[in-house]
């Protein structure tokens, strides 16, 4: 199945295959330098009305449409991923169908000496499925946090634990025979996997949920197929038995209650056994089945078939539709403010000096600096706080740093705050900030990102919202003694920090200085 054309112009609604293509396009651009990407995007014809709208979803979709037209290989990669997901669903469905067919065939085995046990078949293929469907339905009445924790929590945590253990083991083993560059590449791949899981976890969970329900639906179809084939092409006798002191009237009332959903269409004697048929199909092993009427022994198959259809297949069909709806909802909630999308918005901002010049002209229009651009910089309107170590604060002019960053981000200096921290207590320095304030971490680019830096970043992330964008700002070596501060690191230093950000696997951690 090839990816369909994107939706109507201006529509911000995303489909799963479009999000896959978007991620493929961003991944392809990841290895290119900033200048090449700016030149590439300059050739992309995007409507001014879309760029000025400030709607990131619409901007990203318009960019994707143009990108797919210019790069067929991106569309091919996205189609391959979509086809793989489709094939996985088909394999699950085929497996569910075969499992249901095999399990029901075994349960319907009949030698002519003893009838098929209705109680066992009903308990396994109808009652158990109805109980599971009811439990799952009750989960969806809980708050979303509880619902996802109960529905996905154990499986999700177990899967994540297994994957992290595998990654950790692979890194340990690879350290013995891989070169330093190869180990770094492996760590970046692991970080990319963690980043994708954090960004698309909700979509992936609901997509898996929908495919599992589809496989369960196929399982029920397999059970129904085995039951119908056995009835149509062979003579089957069904009976019920129990050691408990239960009379036929109690069983008949219970059967009638279970058959309520279809009783209006297929009533007593057709959709479910009558009291006489229930009495006539009770099996007492010491008496055998010779004295029982064949009509009574054959009266149960429709009841079992309708039971599988109503209590097995129908709930799975409803849950499958619910899963597809939740996938669409998760796509609608996808946040285009993560680091990769933010980098794209910076590229599509034609007026941003960004990294083409070290400084902007003094005396620029202060009103223009205060206004957020139309590409979604609303978070900066609430201000940004820059955190740096006290040692760095003693070595550099923090006032000059504040001015330089204000000019870079096109903000007034009042909206940029610089704070220092001691002994790596970076999280404490940001503990009293107002909600919505963006954070930037300032480091010397020539100092390699060691474990302590990783610990500080993780500690800060634990104290702030997981979807809050964290900027990593690198200081370069001043070109001359007259220059108070430099925000342009050398290429090799920027590349080392870029690799660090990739290894972290945090989708909302962005390097503010791309390699130049």
């Amino acid at each position: 199945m090839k990816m369909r054309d994107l939706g109507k112009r201006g529509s911000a609604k995303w489909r799963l295959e479009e999000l896959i293509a978007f991620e493929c396009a961003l991944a392809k651009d990841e290895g290119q330098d900033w200048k090449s990407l700016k030149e590439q995007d300059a050739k992309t014809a995007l409507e001014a009305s879309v760029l000025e709208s400030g709607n990131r979803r619409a901007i990203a979709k318009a960019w994707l449409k143009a990108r797919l037209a210019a790069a067929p290989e991106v569309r091919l990669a996205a189609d391959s991923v979509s086809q793989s997901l489709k094939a996985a669903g088909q394999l699950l469905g085929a497996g569910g169908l075969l499992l249901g067919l095999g399990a029901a065939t075994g349960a319907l085995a009949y030698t002519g000496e003893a009838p098929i046990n209705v109680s066992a078949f009903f308990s396994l293929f109808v009652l158990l499925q109805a109980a599971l469907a009811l439990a799952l339905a009750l989960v969806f009445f809980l708050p979303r946090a509880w619902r996802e924790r109960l529905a996905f929590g154990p499986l999700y945590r177990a899967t994540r634990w297994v994957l992290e253990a595998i990654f950790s083991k692979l890194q340990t083993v690879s350290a013995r025979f891989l070169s330093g560059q190869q180990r770094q590449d492996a760590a970046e791949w692991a970080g990319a996997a963690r980043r994708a899981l954090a960004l698309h976890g909700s979509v992936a969970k609901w997509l898996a949920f929908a495919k599992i329900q589809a496989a369960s639906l196929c399982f029920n179809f397999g059970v129904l197929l085995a039951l119908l084939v056995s009835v149509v092409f062979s003579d089957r006798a069904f009976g019920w038995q129990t050691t408990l002191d239960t009379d036929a009237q109690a069983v008949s009332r219970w059967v009638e209650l279970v058959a309520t959903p279809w009783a209006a269409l297929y009533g007593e004697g057709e959709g479910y056994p009558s009291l006489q048929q229930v009495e006539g199909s009770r099996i007492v092993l010491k008496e055998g089945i010779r004295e029982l009427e064949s009509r009574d022994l054959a009266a149960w198959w429709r009841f079992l078939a309708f039971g599988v259809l109503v209590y097995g297949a129908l709930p799975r069909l409803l849950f499958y539709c619910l899963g597809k709806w939740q996938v669409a909802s998760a796509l609608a909630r996808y946040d285009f403010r993560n680091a990769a999308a933010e980098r794209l918005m910076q590229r599509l901002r034609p007026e941003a000096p960004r990294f083409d010049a070290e400084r902007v002209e003094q005396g620029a229009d202060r009103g223009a600096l205060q206004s957020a651009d139309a590409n979604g910089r609303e978070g900066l309107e609430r201000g940004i706080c820059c955190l740096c170590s006290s040692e760095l604060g003693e070595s550099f002019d923090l006032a000059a740093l504040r001015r330089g960053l204000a000019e870079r981000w096109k903000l007034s200096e009042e909206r940029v705050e610089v704070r220092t921290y001691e002994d790596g207590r970076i999280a404490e320095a940001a503990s009293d900030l107002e909600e919505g304030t963006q954070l930037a971490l300032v480091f010397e680019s020539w100092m390699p990102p060691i474990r302590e830096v990783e610990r500080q970043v993780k500690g800060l992330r634990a104290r702030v919202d997981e979807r809050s964008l964290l900027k990593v700002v690198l200081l370069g070596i001043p070109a001359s003694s007259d220059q108070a501060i430099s925000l342009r690191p050398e290429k090799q230093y920027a590349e080392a920090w870029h690799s660090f950000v990739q290894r972290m696997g945090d989708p909302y951690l962005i390097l503010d200085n791309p390699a130049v």
Side-chain angles (χ1 to χ4, degrees):
M1 179 189 70
K2 289 189 176 182
M3 194 177 71
R4 296 174 291 173
D5 291 336
L6 297 182
K8 294 182 179 180
R9 185 168 52 186
S11 172
K13 186 177 181 180
W14 284 68
R15 301 192 306 270
L16 179 61
E17 58 266 28
E18 294 171 356
L19 185 60
I20 292 173
F22 182 69
E23 291 296 332
C24 289
L26 292 180
K28 186 177 186 301
D29 293 347
E30 181 65 31
Q32 300 185 44
D33 62 87
W34 182 263
K35 184 177 180 181
S36 299
L37 291 175
K38 289 285 287 184
E39 293 175 352
Q40 171 185 285
D41 290 329
K43 301 175 183 178
T44 303
L46 298 184
E47 293 185 2
S49 59
V50 175
L51 290 173
E52 294 171 358
S53 68
N55 187 335
R56 288 191 170 213
R57 302 179 69 86
I59 294 171
K61 191 165 187 177
W63 173 83
L64 176 62
K65 184 177 181 180
R67 191 77 178 89
L68 292 178
E73 65 275 13
V74 175
R75 182 184 292 271
L76 181 62
D79 286 341
S80 299
V81 176
S82 298
Q83 288 279 20
S84 299
L85 290 175
K86 183 181 179 180
Q90 292 172 342
L91 289 175
L92 282 174
L97 180 67
L98 293 176
L99 180 61
L101 190 62
T105 299
L108 292 168
Y110 178 57
T111 61
E113 297 179 359
I116 298 169
N117 192 335
V118 171
S119 305
F121 188 94
F122 180 82
S123 298
L124 181 60
F125 295 107
V126 179
L127 188 60
L128 178 60
Q129 290 203 87
L132 292 175
L134 179 61
L136 191 55
L138 292 176
V139 168
F140 283 93
F141 287 98
L142 297 174
R144 175 181 294 175
W146 290 19
R147 180 172 67 231
E148 296 203 359
R149 188 177 298 115
L150 289 175
F152 304 110
L155 179 61
Y156 178 72
R157 286 194 295 270
T159 304
R160 184 166 185 171
W161 181 83
V162 170
L163 290 177
E164 289 181 349
I166 292 174
F167 281 135
S168 177
K169 186 64 175 178
L170 288 176
Q171 288 178 330
T172 302
V173 173
S174 64
R176 302 173 183 174
F177 57 88
L178 294 181
S179 65
Q181 182 60 46
Q182 289 173 329
R183 289 197 299 271
Q184 179 174 303
D185 293 341
E188 289 184 11
W189 276 102
R194 291 194 300 270
R195 186 165 57 252
L197 186 62
L199 271 180
H200 307 296
S202 181
V203 175
K205 286 186 291 186
W206 284 111
L207 183 62
F209 176 83
K211 291 189 179 299
I212 290 173
Q213 298 309 312
S216 300
L217 180 63
C218 291
F219 172 86
N220 284 280
F221 287 156
V223 174
L224 280 173
L225 180 61
L227 178 59
L228 293 177
V229 168
S230 66
V231 170
V232 172
F233 296 103
S234 63
D235 184 19
R236 288 290 194 271
F238 297 85
W240 64 279
Q241 53 186 304
T242 179
T243 307
L244 303 177
D245 185 16
T246 303
D247 59 9
Q249 283 190 337
V251 174
S252 179
R253 288 194 297 269
W254 184 74
V255 167
E256 185 176 356
L257 178 63
V258 172
T260 301
W262 64 88
L265 297 176
Y266 299 92
E268 187 178 34
E270 294 184 354
Y272 61 94
S274 64
L275 175 59
Q276 181 183 353
Q277 290 170 330
V278 172
E279 291 175 341
S281 59
R282 180 167 186 173
I283 307 302
V284 180
L285 292 181
K286 66 178 182 179
E287 298 178 0
I289 62 172
R290 290 184 178 274
E291 302 301 325
L292 301 179
E293 295 287 338
S294 297
R295 183 178 60 182
D296 296 337
L297 294 175
W300 284 95
W301 76 268
R302 290 190 181 89
F303 171 76
L304 295 177
F306 280 117
V308 172
L309 182 64
V310 172
Y311 295 104
L314 183 59
R316 297 304 169 184
L317 177 60
L318 295 176
F319 284 130
Y320 171 76
C321 294
L322 176 63
K324 297 291 286 185
W325 176 71
Q326 289 287 357
V327 169
S329 298
L331 290 172
R333 295 193 304 269
Y334 180 76
D335 186 13
F336 283 87
R337 299 181 183 278
N338 59 76
E342 173 66 19
R343 181 70 70 213
L344 173 63
M345 296 303 153
Q346 292 171 356
R347 285 160 44 188
L348 296 177
R349 194 179 307 141
E351 79 285 356
R354 195 68 195 155
F355 310 107
D356 299 334
E358 185 69 21
R359 299 178 62 83
V360 297
E361 292 295 330
Q362 296 295 328
D365 182 8
R366 190 61 66 178
L369 294 178
Q370 294 181 18
S371 61
D373 64 77
N375 286 0
R377 302 175 70 234
E378 300 88 346
L380 296 182
E381 282 297 295
R382 291 187 289 271
I384 183 166
C385 179
C386 305
L387 305 175
C388 61
S389 66
S390 56
E391 294 84 357
L392 188 149
E394 294 173 356
S395 304
F396 289 90
D397 187 347
L398 297 184
L401 173 63
R402 182 183 181 187
R403 287 194 303 271
L405 292 176
E407 291 165 357
R408 162 175 287 182
W409 295 324
K410 301 184 69 176
L411 294 173
S412 64
E413 290 187 31
E414 291 76 15
R415 295 188 183 275
V416 179
E417 179 184 5
V418 178
R419 292 188 180 186
T420 60
Y421 57 87
E422 296 182 357
D423 301 327
R425 294 195 293 268
I426 189 171
E428 296 179 9
S431 59
D432 61 339
L433 291 176
E434 296 182 2
E435 184 178 358
T437 301
Q438 197 172 96
L439 290 172
L441 312 178
V442 182
F443 299 103
E444 305 100 316
S445 62
W446 58 91
M447 298 295 291
I450 58 177
R451 289 284 185 181
E452 175 63 18
V453 175
E454 180 179 343
R455 184 191 65 79
Q456 292 176 11
V457 174
K458 288 183 176 179
L460 181 61
R461 171 59 73 194
R463 297 285 292 269
V464 300
D465 181 25
E466 62 180 7
R467 289 193 173 190
S468 176
L469 194 68
L470 296 181
K471 293 176 177 287
V472 174
V473 177
L474 300 180
L475 297 182
I477 301 175
S480 65
S481 58
D482 298 335
Q483 191 175 6
I485 203 79
S486 173
L487 297 176
R488 176 176 291 180
E490 294 186 14
K491 184 176 181 179
Q492 67 270 23
Y493 299 143
E495 288 178 347
W497 280 88
H498 174 75
S499 177
F500 165 75
V501 170
Q502 294 296 102
R503 296 195 306 270
M504 288 291 292
D506 186 341
Y508 291 88
L509 181 66
I510 183 172
L511 182 62
D512 200 60
N513 313 69
V516 292

